[in-house]
Amino acid sequence: MTDRGGRRGAGELEGQVMAALWSAELPLTTAEVHAKLGDELAYNTVQTILARLTAKSLVQRATRGRAHVYWPTKNEAASIADQLRTTLSGVQNRALVLREFAAGLDDDEAETLQRWLSARSEDNS
């Protein structure tokens, strides 16, 4: 999502960088992340986003030759689940939010969620 000036928010850029890292089989250099994202972002912008993600412990960094390589600390599913839990922790009426979320699921998603909740319930018995 861009603002009226055509600029994207930091969260959107971080999401694009994380998507590039999640899709990679091996750690990537800044140049490799930049190439995956295309030329619309400046190299320095990608470098700054990677530094921010490292500071947030969402990405780890190591040295490979003269460059740094980056990889996500968690897979995509675990990272998004953490974001959802963080969002829910700040909500007063979690039941209402969960009900609204569940109401928006398609039949396959609802069935998957129901299976997981049933299995969790059986494991806790």
Side-chain angles (χ1 to χ4, degrees), residues 23-93:
S23 70
E25 294 182 21
L26 298 170
L28 300 176
T29 64
T30 303
E32 291 166 335
V33 173
H34 183 250
K36 278 183 162 275
L37 297 175
D39 291 333
E40 64 183 77
L41 288 180
Y43 179 89
N44 288 346
T45 301
V46 174
Q47 197 170 36
T48 298
I49 294 166
L50 286 165
R52 287 181 184 160
L53 291 169
T54 302
K56 293 179 180 181
S57 297
L58 297 172
V59 167
Q60 290 186 332
R61 179 178 84 174
T63 303
R64 183 194 325 156
R66 295 181 62 187
H68 289 113
V69 291
Y70 299 86
W71 66 94
T73 56
K74 295 180 182 177
N75 66 35
E76 184 177 20
S79 294
I80 292 172
D82 282 349
Q83 290 172 9
L84 290 171
R85 281 189 289 276
T86 299
T87 299
L88 277 177
S89 72
V91 174
Q92 289 182 348
N93 191 341

Side-chain angles (χ1 to χ4, degrees), residues 67-121:
H68 289 113
V69 291
Y70 299 86
W71 66 94
T73 56
K74 295 180 182 177
N75 66 35
E76 184 177 20
S79 294
I80 292 172
D82 282 349
Q83 290 172 9
L84 290 171
R85 281 189 289 276
T86 299
T87 299
L88 277 177
S89 72
V91 174
Q92 289 182 348
N93 191 341
R94 292 181 193 178
L96 180 60
V97 173
L98 290 170
R99 187 173 31 235
E100 288 292 326
F101 174 76
L105 298 175
D106 66 28
D107 290 343
D108 289 339
E109 293 166 336
E111 185 179 325
T112 299
L113 181 58
Q114 192 166 21
R115 273 196 318 272
W116 279 102
L117 290 173
S118 293
R120 178 181 178 205
S121 178

